[in-house]
Amino acid sequence: MGFSVERDRVLVSTAWLKEHLDDPVVRVVDCRYYFDRSGRDEYERAHIPGAVYLNWAEALSDPIQSVDYMIAPPEQVASAMGSLGVGDDTLAVLYDDEGGHYSSRVWLILARYGRQDRLRILEGGWTKWTLEGRPVTDELPLPVSGTFTIDPSTGHPELVASFDDVLAAQRSGNARLLDVRRLSEFIGEEVRARHGGRIPGATHVFWQGNLNWDRDRTFAPGDAIRGRHEAQGLASDTPIITYCQGGVRAAHAALALWMAGYHNVRVYDGSWAEWGNRDDVPIVTGEPHGK
């Protein structure tokens, strides 16, 4: 396995997007999402001019799965992207207000199906855009549609780890499990499933540490991202599986690692929403030894 990607193949700057707002090939996609209010309502109050809204949690999650947010099948993903006016020749620019948190999940899904080359994430997202006083609007764009093609026989299925993959890694140690949730979730104080805690042997590296969170929510430099993971014994060739609650923060962490030169990283799609709701798997709680 050898997957990594240069930053300029993932990110675009706010200055670049400002200059390309009227480019007919560029489609801006607002991916803001909240658990306590409607992301669409926030979008309708104000958004980047020309942006369309994507409720990724509904549009790109598999409704058949019992676990929330599992990656949707290719035909559903293709239909959802096409309905936004994203076609095969479109460059879709994604943004949210959490440093690419939700945009990274969309990026992972499209990369899983081999369509990441026509996808970019706005560096710093809505946070940086508005801090810089760039234009916003409440005008809704006219609906358009596109033809978005996915060939199920291609893509990068190796970017995603299944329950069986994670169980094998936990038992054999053939990959390092990287828990990117809040420390309160990791030690079991904050319980968001039937069980709290973590997968035995998992290493904790909080996902937000890969961002300049308190400044403009841009990604930290690659050497800083490498440094915080190398401090936990994770080299660029270490097999790593990231997980969180629903595979979203885990997608952000994996993308940060891929951009920092790590090339053997997978995302546990079911994450704790799957593992923590089972009664037949090992779970530990409390501070890890040595802390």
Side-chain angles (χ1 to χ4, degrees):
M1 178 177 174
F3 184 91
S4 61
V5 66
E6 299 296 326
R7 281 192 175 215
D8 63 4
R9 302 295 296 175
V10 176
L11 306 175
V12 295
S13 69
T14 52
W16 183 94
L17 182 57
K18 173 63 169 58
E19 293 301 314
H20 289 81
L21 282 179
D22 296 325
D23 188 332
V25 174
V26 173
R27 192 64 161 164
V28 185
V29 182
D30 188 318
C31 301
R32 284 178 287 174
Y33 182 83
Y34 310 96
F35 291 100
D36 60 352
R37 63 190 190 280
S38 166
R40 181 175 290 278
D41 286 350
E42 292 296 320
Y43 161 78
E44 291 182 356
R45 288 188 187 96
H47 53 266
I48 294 175
V52 293
Y53 183 71
L54 172 63
N55 184 335
W56 60 269
E58 291 182 2
L60 302 181
S61 298
D62 190 345
I64 304 302
Q65 295 287 340
S66 60
V67 179
D68 289 340
Y69 310 132
M70 298 283 279
I71 294 174
E75 60 274 10
Q76 179 181 333
V77 174
S79 176
M81 298 306 292
S83 71
L84 298 174
V86 177
D88 289 337
D89 297 324
T90 305
L91 183 67
V93 178
L94 314 173
Y95 73 89
D96 54 61
D97 57 0
E98 294 190 5
H101 179 192
Y102 300 112
S103 302
S104 295
R105 178 63 182 181
V106 179
W107 195 95
L108 171 68
I109 294 169
L110 272 293
R112 159 64 184 85
Y113 292 123
R115 292 307 312 272
Q116 74 276 11
D117 285 347
R118 301 299 295 173
L119 196 69
R120 298 291 186 273
I121 294 173
L122 179 63
E123 175 81 300
W126 181 251
T127 306
K128 191 171 191 289
W129 185 269
T130 53
L131 281 173
E132 295 171 344
R134 299 192 183 274
V136 301
T137 185
D138 61 359
E139 294 184 10
L140 302 181
L142 295 174
V144 296
S145 61
T147 300
F148 190 84
T149 305
I150 290 176
D151 180 353
S153 68
T154 63
H156 297 282
E158 74 277 7
L159 302 184
V160 179
S162 68
F163 169 80
D164 288 338
D165 294 330
V166 176
L167 185 62
Q170 190 274 321
R171 288 173 171 170
S172 69
N174 63 11
R176 291 284 296 276
L177 301 174
L178 185 60
D179 188 320
V180 304
R181 299 174 296 166
R182 290 179 290 276
L183 182 61
S184 57
E185 296 172 87
F186 178 76
I187 65 176
E189 280 183 0
E190 181 181 353
V191 180
R192 299 180 59 192
R194 188 155 63 242
H195 307 287
R198 63 185 177 276
I199 301 173
T203 299
H204 181 250
V205 181
F206 187 42
W207 74 281
Q208 281 184 14
N210 296 323
L211 294 166
N212 299 302
W213 184 262
D214 295 326
R215 191 180 73 196
D216 56 8
R217 300 192 178 178
T218 54
F219 280 90
D223 57 356
I225 293 171
R226 287 191 298 274
R228 65 193 302 262
H229 290 85
E230 287 170 353
Q232 299 297 326
L234 302 170
S236 62
D237 59 351
T238 302
I240 297 170
I241 300 174
T242 65
Y243 76 91
C244 57
Q245 175 67 25
V248 182
R249 291 171 287 180
H252 189 282
L255 182 57
L257 287 167
W258 287 321
M259 290 193 296
Y262 284 73
H263 52 81
N264 199 345
V265 181
R266 291 181 285 170
V267 176
Y268 176 19
D269 196 26
S271 277
W272 196 254
E274 182 173 40
W275 192 279
N277 279 308
R278 295 181 65 124
D279 298 322
D280 59 347
V281 293
I283 291 172
V284 294
T285 60
E287 293 280 356
H289 294 303
K291 290 285 187 179

